[in-house]
Amino acid sequence: MTRFSLAAQTWQFGQTRRLPFDAPAVDDRAAVARWLPATVPGNVRLDLHANGILPDPPHIGSEWVDAADWWYRVTFPVDVEPGQRVFIRFSGLDYRAAIFVGDDECARHEGMFSWVTVDATDHIRAGMCRLAVRLWGSGALPRRNLSRRQKLWQAIAQRLQNSWTGVYPDRSATLKMQMSFGWDFAPRVLTTGIWDDVTCIITGDTFIESAGIAVTPDGRGTIRMRLNTHSPTDVPLALTVTGDDAPHTFRFTIPPAPPETTRTFRLPAPKLWQPWDAGTPHLYTARLEIPGSDALSVRFGVRSVALENRQFRINHAPTFARGVNWVPADIFPGRITPADYRDLLTRAKACGANFIRVWGGGLREKAAFYDLCDELGLPVWQEFPLACLFLGGAPQSADFLALLRQEIGAIVRQLDAHPSVVVWCGGNEFSPRRNRAVIRTMARAIAENALSSRPFLPASPAPGDAHNWLVWHGKAPLNTFKRERAHFLSEFGLQALPHADTLAAALENPRTGWETIHGDTDKLRHYLRGFLPDEHARPPALGALIEASQQAQAAGLQLAIEHMRRRKPRTGGVWVWQFNEPLPAISWAVLDYFRRPKLAYEGLRNWFNPVLVSVDFPVGKLWRAGEVFSGAVWVVNDTAQAVGGACRVRLDGRDIFTETVTAPAHSSVRVGTFAHRLAHPPVEMTATFGADNAIHSENRYPLHWRDTPPAPWQLIIRRWLADRILR
Ligand code: BMA
């Protein structure tokens, strides 16, 4: 019995002509003129590039790829003895596929996120498995016919807020990564390929198709296990749980039918999985073994999660979310590796983030992502793959709802055992009220497939959870963030130019073109103006533009984060839009594609510190000598221990406030106020909290910038309408 990845095998791919997806016979391998080397997991365009057929970057001018269909094939040895069985599992196919073993079609599949497992036992010839996958190019993706009412919405939406609020007949008909249809930080690249792992599983006569583990949060360590097995007879199962000083072993007998069985067992005094800022993210491994037949390991953690009084409670402790929005790390998800995930997630933790929102326009990421979040103690808000439906809606047809149930059910099963996944969310920016059938189907898919219980948020935003785009899209001044009253602020941000080396690398390739990396120049100009050192130096040097745009982004993020944190416990969390980006661009990301940090990333280390010293004062004003500079000083404590020390505020190096304070566990304390007559225009304010030899928190406020004037009323009305549309 063994399980091994097929990534290391010698794969080939080839082009063929379009066939209808519902054609009964689709084996046209003989028509492929040329078979070329391929990489799996990967993507058709990346393979075309690797073979010199598409230039770099392979997404430019490559629409013809979508008009063709594609074959992938591999032949590999399988060492099977009589009575043994062979299965092939695909962890992610993008998007319509037919799977062949030998000459036989074993499965026809639609959907990017569900696993597909085929039984190859009867198709092994002379110890060899001949596997092939036919993939329909993206020109064959389903497309909706819009009703008259939807066409009307479309027309209204175009006027209301360019194309963003429209109805998308292609994108909304699929549960494919929505970003691939084109987004405001990513080009339209309709990926096709085998984007996630392919595994060969050799078993005896019993195959453990899947295993789920859930810990009932009853404090007694009761663990429920669900197994899907294919077995002709009663079989003995040995379960060994490691993670404590000594392993725990349990033995069960699994009946042949039904294929799904549930068992409970008890782990005495289990150690808890904690978010990194609350303790150790302790993990257990359950190894299931049916002697002589199959074995499987599932990692799990013991923790409870609830959403109460506007706060996440993990293991009953309030967990204020200092979060970031995660988008796909590449426009070709096929090439994202575990090392990429490790680097990015380690950097998320390093800047103080304790919550990752996996945005609904992106992916159910690969398994390594969730394994790492488990290990790093990073809670995850996982959205389902729906995004930005605005005035439109998801299809309500029985076929679409069946696809939704299949894909959401699969995502729930795949991620259920991960302690890091603490909340499900239906997706990004659509109205649950106008998509009731979708929400019902999601809730049902969760109930049918989850062993663990977690909160389910139908969509984000929702009442009490805001995406504040008054700033940026609505061109409102940065200090508008201080009027935010929601308890969750799950999106807000500003674009900033990346490091000059990133711009140069993106431009070096003449085919990249500005069209994929341009950002929104109108709004960039609007916000960076108040940060440029000299209004009259025109045109400003590139370095000054980069710096000013990054300062504007940093100032906005700092304002919003500190405002939300000070308002705790009326607030429960704040998620910066956006952490990463899928290609070099001028975007909202705080880490660019090459992972070069923008100024805001460095700032997050202070603003996301579990203990924060914060000053609330009138921002974005150029101060003059003789004016009174006043503000209030706060200490926010997200930890479970009281912290004490001196709070000190300085203006250009001179003390203007000192007070000793103790901030209780999980608190936000207004320490005091100051009013200081200025002798000269100040440049920078700094704040510290702690003792001289142990500073808990430090903070900086540049004072040389001017906020923008009030937003034009047309934009205010547009934003107001857009928010109403999402209800
Ligand atoms: C939010 C996101 C994305 C978008 C971002 C910036 O609404 O959900 O859809 O990329 O705004 O415009």
Side-chain angles (χ1 to χ4, degrees):
M1 59 200 187
T2 173
R3 292 172 180 244
F4 57 92
S5 163
L6 295 183
Q9 302 294 329
T10 307
W11 287 81
Q12 291 183 317
F13 81 120
Q15 183 179 346
T16 185
R17 71 194 161 83
R18 168 69 26 86
L19 288 177
F21 180 60
D22 55 5
V26 293
D27 187 357
D28 58 351
R29 274 176 280 185
V32 174
R34 205 154 56 118
W35 289 93
L36 295 164
T39 302
V40 170
N43 185 275
V44 170
R45 280 178 171 80
L46 294 176
D47 284 329
L48 287 167
H49 167 59
N51 284 282
I53 297 168
L54 280 178
D56 191 20
H59 63 277
I60 305 286
S62 62
E63 288 74 19
W64 63 270
V65 174
D66 300 331
D69 289 346
W70 301 88
W71 277 98
Y72 276 74
R73 71 178 187 188
V74 66
T75 300
F76 59 97
V78 274
D79 193 8
V80 275
E81 288 157 23
Q84 284 193 316
R85 305 172 67 194
V86 181
F87 299 88
I88 311 290
R89 166 162 303 157
F90 293 86
S91 298
L93 290 165
D94 182 10
Y95 176 81
R96 285 181 149 177
I99 298 164
F100 287 75
V101 187
D103 293 330
D104 299 318
E105 182 175 342
C106 301
R108 188 87 53 106
H109 176 77
E110 172 166 348
M112 189 163 178
F113 304 110
S114 42
W115 287 351
V116 191
T117 308
V118 296
D119 187 344
T121 313
D122 297 336
H123 307 280
I124 308 297
R125 299 283 176 269
M128 298 301 277
C129 179
R130 196 155 57 85
L131 179 67
V133 183
R134 189 181 200 284
L135 290 159
W136 274 258
S138 292
L141 288 171
R143 207 184 154 81
R144 293 162 73 182
N145 292 322
L146 296 187
S147 67
R148 288 196 21 212
R149 199 178 71 163
Q150 285 163 332
K151 284 184 185 152
L152 181 69
W153 278 147
Q154 183 78 313
I156 296 173
Q158 299 277 0
R159 288 186 163 267
L160 185 67
Q161 196 180 20
N162 56 54
S163 58
W164 269 95
T165 34
V167 182
Y168 296 83
D170 52 358
R171 170 157 79 73
S172 67
T174 73
L175 291 172
K176 186 179 167 68
M177 171 174 81
Q178 299 285 290
M179 184 190 83
S180 61
F181 291 84
W183 222 260
D184 56 3
F185 59 89
R188 183 179 170 94
V189 187
L190 292 169
T191 50
T192 304
I194 302 173
W195 76 278
D196 206 346
D197 290 339
V198 188
T199 315
C200 176
I201 306 162
I202 301 176
T203 72
D205 57 8
T206 306
F207 166 42
I208 309 174
E209 188 175 349
S210 68
I213 295 265
V215 182
T216 319
D218 61 358
R220 283 178 293 147
T222 308
I223 299 188
R224 266 192 325 144
M225 176 182 71
R226 180 181 54 204
L227 287 179
N228 287 69
T229 47
H230 293 251
S231 150
T233 54
D234 271 10
V235 285
L237 174 93
L239 167 69
T240 311
V241 179
T242 50
D244 284 331
D245 298 337
H248 307 271
T249 304
F250 308 88
R251 295 188 190 283
F252 304 100
T253 301
I254 304 293
E260 184 163 301
T261 42
T262 311
R263 293 281 182 276
T264 56
F265 58 93
R266 203 158 274 177
L267 210 54
K271 294 187 186 125
L272 295 178
W273 181 92
Q274 297 275 24
W276 66 263
D277 55 343
T280 305
H282 191 81
L283 291 169
Y284 288 93
T285 301
R287 182 170 164 84
L288 304 153
E289 192 170 342
I290 297 174
S293 238
D294 198 6
L296 183 66
S297 290
V298 186
R299 226 169 42 163
F300 68 97
V302 180
R303 62 107 183 86
S304 67
V305 55
L307 189 53
E308 284 167 19
N309 293 335
R310 306 164 173 185
Q311 300 273 341
F312 282 104
R313 288 185 169 264
I314 300 181
N315 301 323
H316 307 289
T319 303
F320 186 94
R322 305 182 304 272
V324 288
N325 278 280
W326 173 276
V327 302
D330 203 293
I331 55 170
F332 297 111
R335 69 177 166 192
I336 303 172
T337 64
D340 294 326
Y341 283 138
R342 181 174 289 279
D343 189 30
L344 283 163
L345 290 168
T346 306
R347 286 166 192 260
K349 179 176 164 180
C351 75
N354 70 349
F355 225 111
I356 310 278
R357 173 176 177 242
V358 179
W359 169 67
L363 299 162
R364 171 279 282 155
E365 299 287 341
K366 300 179 188 182
F369 177 91
Y370 304 96
D371 287 343
L372 281 158
C373 289
D374 289 348
E375 281 167 31
L376 294 168
L378 272 172
V380 173
W381 161 322
Q382 177 67 45
E383 295 196 348
F384 298 136
L386 291 182
C388 295
L389 296 170
F390 297 109
L391 282 171
Q396 310 280 322
S397 67
D399 281 356
F400 183 81
L401 294 177
L403 177 70
L404 192 72
R405 191 169 157 202
Q406 165 197 303
E407 292 293 284
I408 307 286
I411 293 171
V412 167
R413 272 190 187 239
Q414 291 155 5
L415 307 189
D416 193 44
H418 289 279
S420 58
V421 178
V422 295
V423 55
W424 306 121
C425 175
N428 176 69
E429 298 190 347
F430 69 93
S431 159
R433 205 166 41 81
R434 287 199 303 278
N435 291 280
R436 285 205 184 93
V438 163
I439 301 297
R440 263 200 309 273
T441 305
M442 288 177 172
R444 185 167 159 203
I446 295 170
E448 286 167 346
N449 292 285
L451 274 184
S452 312
S453 78
R454 309 174 160 77
F456 169 50
L457 308 171
S460 177
D465 165 21
H467 291 186
N468 188 328
W469 289 109
L470 287 166
V471 176
W472 191 260
H473 288 301
K475 282 192 172 175
L478 297 185
N479 68 45
T480 312
F481 282 137
K482 290 200 347 191
R483 295 211 296 270
E484 183 57 67
R485 290 291 173 267
H487 63 265
F488 285 161
L489 177 55
S490 50
E491 279 188 17
F492 65 98
L494 289 100
Q495 290 184 358
L497 292 158
H499 190 281
D501 291 350
T502 298
L503 283 176
L507 287 171
E508 205 171 62
N509 188 324
R511 295 183 60 94
T512 305
W514 277 102
E515 75 273 21
T516 55
I517 60 165
H518 59 65
D520 186 331
T521 36
D522 172 44
K523 287 165 196 149
L524 265 175
R525 196 181 309 120
H526 181 75
Y527 283 103
L528 64 72
R529 223 177 259 152
F531 287 81
L532 280 170
D534 180 356
E535 265 271 72
H536 306 291
R538 290 283 184 266
L542 179 63
L545 286 174
I546 293 173
E547 206 181 322
S549 76
Q550 293 198 6
Q551 285 172 346
Q553 181 190 42
L557 264 46
Q558 180 176 20
L559 252 173
I561 292 168
E562 293 192 17
H563 167 76
M564 291 299 288
R565 292 191 66 185
R566 286 192 300 257
R567 285 173 56 77
K568 193 173 87 161
R570 283 170 293 177
T571 51
V574 55
W575 287 260
V576 170
W577 182 267
Q578 65 199 74
F579 180 62
N580 57 331
E581 65 185 9
L583 88 168
I586 296 172
S587 82
W588 296 263
V590 294
L591 267 192
D592 72 30
Y593 181 74
F594 301 111
R595 300 170 205 160
R596 292 192 179 103
K598 296 182 188 170
L599 203 60
Y601 174 84
E602 307 294 355
L604 287 174
R605 293 175 196 269
N606 290 337
W607 319 323
F608 272 177
N609 191 331
V611 177
L612 169 75
V613 58
S614 170
V615 185
D616 184 12
F617 67 103
V619 292
K621 165 177 161 51
L622 290 181
W623 296 88
R624 286 193 301 266
E627 285 181 317
V628 175
F629 181 80
S630 58
V633 184
W634 294 70
V635 170
V636 182
N637 180 8
D638 287 355
T639 75
Q641 290 83 38
V643 274
C647 233
R648 172 180 274 189
V649 179
R650 290 177 170 192
L651 208 54
D652 295 332
R654 276 194 48 204
D655 279 357
I656 57 167
F657 177 89
T658 327
E659 186 80 55
T660 301
V661 64
T662 298
H666 304 296
S667 68
S668 172
V669 178
R670 193 170 190 263
V671 181
T673 58
F674 61 80
H676 174 77
R677 189 166 297 280
L678 296 167
H680 50 78
V683 179
E684 186 185 62
M685 176 168 61
T686 55
T688 54
F689 172 53
D692 283 345
N693 53 355
I695 295 293
H696 302 306
S697 166
E698 50 191 335
N699 213 339
R700 295 154 55 93
Y701 301 88
L703 300 172
H704 61 267
W705 60 278
R706 269 179 307 114
D707 209 347
T708 59
W713 63 268
Q714 297 93 328
L715 282 182
I716 297 177
I717 290 178
R718 273 189 202 179
R719 290 312 315 163
W720 185 84
L721 276 174
D723 285 343
R724 293 296 162 294
I725 284 164
L726 293 175
R727 297 263 166 93

